[in-house]
Structure formats: C-alpha cells, structure tokens
Amino acid sequence: MYRIAPSLLSADFARLGDEVKNVVAAGADLIHFDVMDNHYVPNLTIGPLVCAALRPHTTVPIDVHLMVKPVDRIIPDFAKAGANIISFHPEASEHIDRTISLIKEQGCKAGLVFNPATPLDYLDHVLDKLDLVLIMSVNPGFGGQSFIPGALAKLRAVRARIAASGRDIWLEIDGGVKTDNIAEIARAGADTFVAGSAIFGAPDYQATIRKMRGELAAL
Ligand code: DX5
Ligand code: ZN
C-alpha cells in the first residue's frame, strides 16, 4: 500500500551501482531518479546513459523525475534506458496531453508533477490518463530542503480527485520527507514517498526505511 522511493540525488555519485543495490537491499520499493538540466531547474544531474547503466543492477521500478525543458525529445531515451515511470512538470511541456501520450506509447507509466505554486487545474483534463501524480513539497532543484507544509492541503485535494476518478493512481510526495513527518504526509493522502537526504544521508539505510515503515504501519 505504501511505497518508499529513495532519491539517488543524495547518493554517492561515484558509487551509484552499489548505492542502488544497497538501498534496494535495505527495502526500497522504487528508485527515484532525478534528472536536472540547469535550465528548467538550476542544477545538473544525471541522464539516460546513467539510467541505462543502473538498469542491470536492480529489478525494482525506476521512477524518473524529469526536471528538464523541453521534455519530449528525451522521453524515448529514458524508455530505452529502462525507466518504468516517467514524470514531468507541466511548465516544461508545450503540449501536456501529447507528452503524456508519448510516455505511454513508449511503454512507461506517466506522471505529472506539481511545484509548490503550480495549481492542480491541469488535473481537470488529464487525470484519467495519468498513472501517478507527484506533489513537490520543495521547489525542485536540490536535495536537503525543508518540507513546505502547504503540500499537505494539496495532497488532500489530489487524494479526493483520485478517489472520485475510481482509478488506481499513485500519489507521490517529493521533498523534505523524513521519519518524523512521513506519518502526517501519509494521513494527507500520499502513498509513495520520495526521500533523498533522509535515507542516503543516514549511515544505516535499512534502519531509516524500517523507521519510515514503522511510522506508516502505526497509522
Ligand atoms: C528535488 C528532487 C528530490 C530530492 C529530494 O528537486 O526532486 O527528489 O532529491 O531530496 P530530499 O528528500 O533530501 O528533500
Ligand atoms: Zn524528485
């Protein structure tokens, strides 16, 4: 019911293959793969070549979070690199409906990402095509930022929309998720939790993921 998605952004980039294996052994359900282009967001990270290189090291789904603009050209590259889920920001696409179709044509699940100041109105028109909604609880670009509390109301609003749709759409939260706020975030409706610094910044990945699951189990 709940999924933990460690973000590689806070992993040791010199040892990414081992980091993926270790965090999956520690109980990760997904690998969250943050792609930044120094244009849509003010940081530069990893691309399809790294995704393809990591793919043989794990069988868990790779959850690609595209923070790039434009977005369409790079989508087939990530599909070929073994991505399972591809999410993008509406501000980064001229034609949101077309981008969603492109992701699905490539055989991947499609997600739409909402920044802290992005309204949910886009969901009026595309929720029925989405597999995942990702709510940002920080402004995208960097790990280790603090959770913006306004994301909780947004999660509640999206959870209501998903329930009304009757479809099994994942509701993911990204930014500032820690062991001490994950329960409150789950109560607001999230079922999939990205955590970068909370997991990779701690010495024992398994202990941290267990603590998170313990908080969720107590709900
Ligand atoms: C931020 C990224 C996040 C980031 C989260 O733009 O999308 O996935 O890694 O990092 P933490 O969990 O440290 O806030
Ligand atoms: Zn992310």
Side-chain angles (χ1 to χ4, degrees), residues 20 31 33 49-63 78-85:
V20 165
I31 291 294
F33 191 99
L49 295 176
V50 175
C51 185
L54 291 176
R55 182 69 282 182
H57 291 272
T58 186
T59 57
V60 305
I62 299 180
D63 170 33
F78 274 101
K80 286 187 196 84
N84 301 89
I85 305 165

PDB file of all heavy atoms in Angstrom, residues 20 31 33 49-63 78-85:
ATOM      1  N   VAL A  20      22.513   1.796  -5.417  1.00  0.00           N
ATOM      2  CA  VAL A  20      21.209   1.238  -5.809  1.00  0.00           C
ATOM      3  C   VAL A  20      21.016  -0.137  -5.177  1.00  0.00           C
ATOM      4  O   VAL A  20      19.984  -0.421  -4.565  1.00  0.00           O
ATOM      5  CB  VAL A  20      21.091   1.172  -7.353  1.00  0.00           C
ATOM      6  CG1 VAL A  20      19.939   0.273  -7.774  1.00  0.00           C
ATOM      7  CG2 VAL A  20      20.926   2.574  -7.923  1.00  0.00           C
ATOM      8  N   ILE A  31      13.315   3.148  -7.277  1.00  0.00           N
ATOM      9  CA  ILE A  31      14.464   4.058  -7.284  1.00  0.00           C
ATOM     10  C   ILE A  31      14.001   5.355  -7.942  1.00  0.00           C
ATOM     11  O   ILE A  31      13.552   5.355  -9.097  1.00  0.00           O
ATOM     12  CB  ILE A  31      15.646   3.444  -8.074  1.00  0.00           C
ATOM     13  CG1 ILE A  31      16.233   2.246  -7.328  1.00  0.00           C
ATOM     14  CG2 ILE A  31      16.729   4.499  -8.342  1.00  0.00           C
ATOM     15  CD1 ILE A  31      16.898   2.567  -6.007  1.00  0.00           C
ATOM     16  N   PHE A  33      14.755   8.776  -9.640  1.00  0.00           N
ATOM     17  CA  PHE A  33      15.898   9.176 -10.479  1.00  0.00           C
ATOM     18  C   PHE A  33      15.661  10.619 -10.930  1.00  0.00           C
ATOM     19  O   PHE A  33      14.849  10.890 -11.829  1.00  0.00           O
ATOM     20  CB  PHE A  33      15.938   8.199 -11.666  1.00  0.00           C
ATOM     21  CG  PHE A  33      17.164   8.235 -12.518  1.00  0.00           C
ATOM     22  CD1 PHE A  33      18.180   7.304 -12.361  1.00  0.00           C
ATOM     23  CD2 PHE A  33      17.305   9.187 -13.522  1.00  0.00           C
ATOM     24  CE1 PHE A  33      19.306   7.310 -13.179  1.00  0.00           C
ATOM     25  CE2 PHE A  33      18.430   9.205 -14.341  1.00  0.00           C
ATOM     26  CZ  PHE A  33      19.430   8.263 -14.166  1.00  0.00           C
ATOM     27  N   LEU A  49      21.991   7.842 -20.023  1.00  0.00           N
ATOM     28  CA  LEU A  49      23.137   6.912 -20.026  1.00  0.00           C
ATOM     29  C   LEU A  49      23.333   6.310 -18.641  1.00  0.00           C
ATOM     30  O   LEU A  49      23.634   5.119 -18.502  1.00  0.00           O
ATOM     31  CB  LEU A  49      24.414   7.642 -20.462  1.00  0.00           C
ATOM     32  CG  LEU A  49      24.424   8.160 -21.903  1.00  0.00           C
ATOM     33  CD1 LEU A  49      25.709   8.938 -22.175  1.00  0.00           C
ATOM     34  CD2 LEU A  49      24.264   7.016 -22.892  1.00  0.00           C
ATOM     35  N   VAL A  50      23.140   7.122 -17.620  1.00  0.00           N
ATOM     36  CA  VAL A  50      23.289   6.622 -16.243  1.00  0.00           C
ATOM     37  C   VAL A  50      22.121   5.688 -15.900  1.00  0.00           C
ATOM     38  O   VAL A  50      22.305   4.651 -15.262  1.00  0.00           O
ATOM     39  CB  VAL A  50      23.399   7.788 -15.241  1.00  0.00           C
ATOM     40  CG1 VAL A  50      23.437   7.271 -13.805  1.00  0.00           C
ATOM     41  CG2 VAL A  50      24.648   8.622 -15.537  1.00  0.00           C
ATOM     42  N   CYS A  51      20.934   6.032 -16.377  1.00  0.00           N
ATOM     43  CA  CYS A  51      19.778   5.158 -16.150  1.00  0.00           C
ATOM     44  C   CYS A  51      20.031   3.787 -16.773  1.00  0.00           C
ATOM     45  O   CYS A  51      19.824   2.750 -16.136  1.00  0.00           O
ATOM     46  CB  CYS A  51      18.531   5.823 -16.739  1.00  0.00           C
ATOM     47  SG  CYS A  51      17.006   4.937 -16.427  1.00  0.00           S
ATOM     48  N   ALA A  52      20.520   3.770 -18.002  1.00  0.00           N
ATOM     49  CA  ALA A  52      20.807   2.501 -18.688  1.00  0.00           C
ATOM     50  C   ALA A  52      21.900   1.715 -17.962  1.00  0.00           C
ATOM     51  O   ALA A  52      21.849   0.490 -17.880  1.00  0.00           O
ATOM     52  CB  ALA A  52      21.212   2.772 -20.132  1.00  0.00           C
ATOM     53  N   ALA A  53      22.879   2.434 -17.427  1.00  0.00           N
ATOM     54  CA  ALA A  53      23.979   1.764 -16.723  1.00  0.00           C
ATOM     55  C   ALA A  53      23.489   1.125 -15.422  1.00  0.00           C
ATOM     56  O   ALA A  53      23.976   0.068 -15.010  1.00  0.00           O
ATOM     57  CB  ALA A  53      25.096   2.771 -16.428  1.00  0.00           C
ATOM     58  N   LEU A  54      22.500   1.753 -14.767  1.00  0.00           N
ATOM     59  CA  LEU A  54      21.999   1.229 -13.492  1.00  0.00           C
ATOM     60  C   LEU A  54      20.980   0.110 -13.695  1.00  0.00           C
ATOM     61  O   LEU A  54      20.796  -0.730 -12.810  1.00  0.00           O
ATOM     62  CB  LEU A  54      21.361   2.354 -12.672  1.00  0.00           C
ATOM     63  CG  LEU A  54      22.340   3.401 -12.150  1.00  0.00           C
ATOM     64  CD1 LEU A  54      21.566   4.512 -11.430  1.00  0.00           C
ATOM     65  CD2 LEU A  54      23.365   2.779 -11.201  1.00  0.00           C
ATOM     66  N   ARG A  55      20.310   0.127 -14.841  1.00  0.00           N
ATOM     67  CA  ARG A  55      19.191  -0.805 -15.064  1.00  0.00           C
ATOM     68  C   ARG A  55      19.537  -2.266 -14.749  1.00  0.00           C
ATOM     69  O   ARG A  55      18.754  -2.952 -14.076  1.00  0.00           O
ATOM     70  CB  ARG A  55      18.670  -0.632 -16.494  1.00  0.00           C
ATOM     71  CG  ARG A  55      17.474  -1.478 -16.899  1.00  0.00           C
ATOM     72  CD  ARG A  55      16.164  -1.100 -16.208  1.00  0.00           C
ATOM     73  NE  ARG A  55      16.041  -1.568 -14.847  1.00  0.00           N
ATOM     74  CZ  ARG A  55      14.954  -1.380 -14.097  1.00  0.00           C
ATOM     75  NH1 ARG A  55      13.907  -0.726 -14.573  1.00  0.00           N
ATOM     76  NH2 ARG A  55      14.906  -1.833 -12.872  1.00  0.00           N
ATOM     77  N   PRO A  56      20.713  -2.777 -15.191  1.00  0.00           N
ATOM     78  CA  PRO A  56      21.021  -4.185 -14.884  1.00  0.00           C
ATOM     79  C   PRO A  56      21.281  -4.467 -13.407  1.00  0.00           C
ATOM     80  O   PRO A  56      21.327  -5.628 -13.004  1.00  0.00           O
ATOM     81  CB  PRO A  56      22.306  -4.451 -15.687  1.00  0.00           C
ATOM     82  CG  PRO A  56      22.447  -3.338 -16.642  1.00  0.00           C
ATOM     83  CD  PRO A  56      21.734  -2.167 -16.057  1.00  0.00           C
ATOM     84  N   HIS A  57      21.432  -3.431 -12.599  1.00  0.00           N
ATOM     85  CA  HIS A  57      21.781  -3.623 -11.187  1.00  0.00           C
ATOM     86  C   HIS A  57      20.573  -3.817 -10.288  1.00  0.00           C
ATOM     87  O   HIS A  57      20.735  -4.075  -9.094  1.00  0.00           O
ATOM     88  CB  HIS A  57      22.607  -2.435 -10.679  1.00  0.00           C
ATOM     89  CG  HIS A  57      23.973  -2.380 -11.298  1.00  0.00           C
ATOM     90  ND1 HIS A  57      25.048  -3.052 -10.768  1.00  0.00           N
ATOM     91  CD2 HIS A  57      24.422  -1.773 -12.424  1.00  0.00           C
ATOM     92  CE1 HIS A  57      26.116  -2.837 -11.522  1.00  0.00           C
ATOM     93  NE2 HIS A  57      25.758  -2.069 -12.533  1.00  0.00           N
ATOM     94  N   THR A  58      19.356  -3.668 -10.836  1.00  0.00           N
ATOM     95  CA  THR A  58      18.189  -3.835  -9.972  1.00  0.00           C
ATOM     96  C   THR A  58      16.960  -4.198 -10.796  1.00  0.00           C
ATOM     97  O   THR A  58      16.881  -3.871 -11.980  1.00  0.00           O
ATOM     98  CB  THR A  58      17.898  -2.559  -9.147  1.00  0.00           C
ATOM     99  OG1 THR A  58      16.841  -2.841  -8.231  1.00  0.00           O
ATOM    100  CG2 THR A  58      17.504  -1.385 -10.037  1.00  0.00           C
ATOM    101  N   THR A  59      16.004  -4.844 -10.135  1.00  0.00           N
ATOM    102  CA  THR A  59      14.737  -5.149 -10.807  1.00  0.00           C
ATOM    103  C   THR A  59      13.622  -4.239 -10.324  1.00  0.00           C
ATOM    104  O   THR A  59      12.517  -4.290 -10.867  1.00  0.00           O
ATOM    105  CB  THR A  59      14.319  -6.617 -10.556  1.00  0.00           C
ATOM    106  OG1 THR A  59      14.235  -6.817  -9.143  1.00  0.00           O
ATOM    107  CG2 THR A  59      15.321  -7.586 -11.154  1.00  0.00           C
ATOM    108  N   VAL A  60      13.846  -3.435  -9.285  1.00  0.00           N
ATOM    109  CA  VAL A  60      12.764  -2.548  -8.824  1.00  0.00           C
ATOM    110  C   VAL A  60      12.520  -1.466  -9.892  1.00  0.00           C
ATOM    111  O   VAL A  60      13.413  -1.116 -10.661  1.00  0.00           O
ATOM    112  CB  VAL A  60      13.041  -1.893  -7.441  1.00  0.00           C
ATOM    113  CG1 VAL A  60      13.333  -2.940  -6.384  1.00  0.00           C
ATOM    114  CG2 VAL A  60      14.140  -0.858  -7.520  1.00  0.00           C
ATOM    115  N   PRO A  61      11.292  -0.949  -9.941  1.00  0.00           N
ATOM    116  CA  PRO A  61      10.996   0.083 -10.941  1.00  0.00           C
ATOM    117  C   PRO A  61      11.868   1.320 -10.760  1.00  0.00           C
ATOM    118  O   PRO A  61      12.170   1.738  -9.642  1.00  0.00           O
ATOM    119  CB  PRO A  61       9.522   0.420 -10.667  1.00  0.00           C
ATOM    120  CG  PRO A  61       8.964  -0.785  -9.984  1.00  0.00           C
ATOM    121  CD  PRO A  61      10.094  -1.347  -9.167  1.00  0.00           C
ATOM    122  N   ILE A  62      12.269   1.895 -11.886  1.00  0.00           N
ATOM    123  CA  ILE A  62      12.995   3.171 -11.883  1.00  0.00           C
ATOM    124  C   ILE A  62      11.985   4.279 -12.194  1.00  0.00           C
ATOM    125  O   ILE A  62      11.297   4.267 -13.224  1.00  0.00           O
ATOM    126  CB  ILE A  62      14.163   3.173 -12.884  1.00  0.00           C
ATOM    127  CG1 ILE A  62      15.173   2.074 -12.505  1.00  0.00           C
ATOM    128  CG2 ILE A  62      14.849   4.545 -12.912  1.00  0.00           C
ATOM    129  CD1 ILE A  62      16.383   1.975 -13.422  1.00  0.00           C
ATOM    130  N   ASP A  63      11.901   5.202 -11.245  1.00  0.00           N
ATOM    131  CA  ASP A  63      10.903   6.274 -11.224  1.00  0.00           C
ATOM    132  C   ASP A  63      11.630   7.561 -11.637  1.00  0.00           C
ATOM    133  O   ASP A  63      12.275   8.202 -10.822  1.00  0.00           O
ATOM    134  CB  ASP A  63      10.374   6.326  -9.769  1.00  0.00           C
ATOM    135  CG  ASP A  63       9.502   7.503  -9.444  1.00  0.00           C
ATOM    136  OD1 ASP A  63       8.767   7.959 -10.331  1.00  0.00           O
ATOM    137  OD2 ASP A  63       9.549   7.956  -8.270  1.00  0.00           O
ATOM    138  N   PHE A  78      14.841   7.746 -22.265  1.00  0.00           N
ATOM    139  CA  PHE A  78      14.665   7.145 -20.936  1.00  0.00           C
ATOM    140  C   PHE A  78      13.895   5.834 -21.010  1.00  0.00           C
ATOM    141  O   PHE A  78      14.179   4.900 -20.250  1.00  0.00           O
ATOM    142  CB  PHE A  78      13.993   8.137 -19.981  1.00  0.00           C
ATOM    143  CG  PHE A  78      14.972   9.059 -19.322  1.00  0.00           C
ATOM    144  CD1 PHE A  78      15.127  10.357 -19.776  1.00  0.00           C
ATOM    145  CD2 PHE A  78      15.778   8.619 -18.281  1.00  0.00           C
ATOM    146  CE1 PHE A  78      16.055  11.204 -19.200  1.00  0.00           C
ATOM    147  CE2 PHE A  78      16.708   9.459 -17.697  1.00  0.00           C
ATOM    148  CZ  PHE A  78      16.846  10.758 -18.154  1.00  0.00           C
ATOM    149  N   ALA A  79      12.933   5.755 -21.909  1.00  0.00           N
ATOM    150  CA  ALA A  79      12.205   4.489 -22.063  1.00  0.00           C
ATOM    151  C   ALA A  79      13.183   3.389 -22.494  1.00  0.00           C
ATOM    152  O   ALA A  79      13.186   2.288 -21.931  1.00  0.00           O
ATOM    153  CB  ALA A  79      11.072   4.664 -23.066  1.00  0.00           C
ATOM    154  N   LYS A  80      14.030   3.704 -23.449  1.00  0.00           N
ATOM    155  CA  LYS A  80      15.028   2.718 -23.913  1.00  0.00           C
ATOM    156  C   LYS A  80      16.030   2.393 -22.811  1.00  0.00           C
ATOM    157  O   LYS A  80      16.579   1.297 -22.762  1.00  0.00           O
ATOM    158  CB  LYS A  80      15.781   3.251 -25.140  1.00  0.00           C
ATOM    159  CG  LYS A  80      14.958   3.227 -26.401  1.00  0.00           C
ATOM    160  CD  LYS A  80      15.795   3.605 -27.625  1.00  0.00           C
ATOM    161  CE  LYS A  80      14.909   3.966 -28.802  1.00  0.00           C
ATOM    162  NZ  LYS A  80      14.452   5.368 -28.780  1.00  0.00           N
ATOM    163  N   ALA A  81      16.271   3.339 -21.927  1.00  0.00           N
ATOM    164  CA  ALA A  81      17.236   3.137 -20.838  1.00  0.00           C
ATOM    165  C   ALA A  81      16.642   2.333 -19.683  1.00  0.00           C
ATOM    166  O   ALA A  81      17.328   2.090 -18.696  1.00  0.00           O
ATOM    167  CB  ALA A  81      17.733   4.494 -20.331  1.00  0.00           C
ATOM    168  N   GLY A  82      15.355   1.956 -19.802  1.00  0.00           N
ATOM    169  CA  GLY A  82      14.774   1.075 -18.796  1.00  0.00           C
ATOM    170  C   GLY A  82      13.924   1.746 -17.738  1.00  0.00           C
ATOM    171  O   GLY A  82      13.558   1.113 -16.737  1.00  0.00           O
ATOM    172  N   ALA A  83      13.581   3.006 -17.959  1.00  0.00           N
ATOM    173  CA  ALA A  83      12.682   3.675 -16.999  1.00  0.00           C
ATOM    174  C   ALA A  83      11.327   2.979 -16.989  1.00  0.00           C
ATOM    175  O   ALA A  83      10.861   2.515 -18.036  1.00  0.00           O
ATOM    176  CB  ALA A  83      12.506   5.141 -17.390  1.00  0.00           C
ATOM    177  N   ASN A  84      10.693   2.901 -15.822  1.00  0.00           N
ATOM    178  CA  ASN A  84       9.357   2.326 -15.713  1.00  0.00           C
ATOM    179  C   ASN A  84       8.278   3.395 -15.598  1.00  0.00           C
ATOM    180  O   ASN A  84       7.178   3.246 -16.117  1.00  0.00           O
ATOM    181  CB  ASN A  84       9.285   1.410 -14.487  1.00  0.00           C
ATOM    182  CG  ASN A  84      10.298   0.302 -14.574  1.00  0.00           C
ATOM    183  OD1 ASN A  84      11.427   0.448 -14.130  1.00  0.00           O
ATOM    184  ND2 ASN A  84       9.935  -0.811 -15.188  1.00  0.00           N
ATOM    185  N   ILE A  85       8.599   4.452 -14.849  1.00  0.00           N
ATOM    186  CA  ILE A  85       7.680   5.579 -14.666  1.00  0.00           C
ATOM    187  C   ILE A  85       8.437   6.820 -15.128  1.00  0.00           C
ATOM    188  O   ILE A  85       9.614   6.981 -14.799  1.00  0.00           O
ATOM    189  CB  ILE A  85       7.307   5.749 -13.181  1.00  0.00           C
ATOM    190  CG1 ILE A  85       6.731   4.453 -12.610  1.00  0.00           C
ATOM    191  CG2 ILE A  85       6.352   6.927 -12.983  1.00  0.00           C
ATOM    192  CD1 ILE A  85       6.682   4.435 -11.075  1.00  0.00           C
TER     193      ILE A  85
END
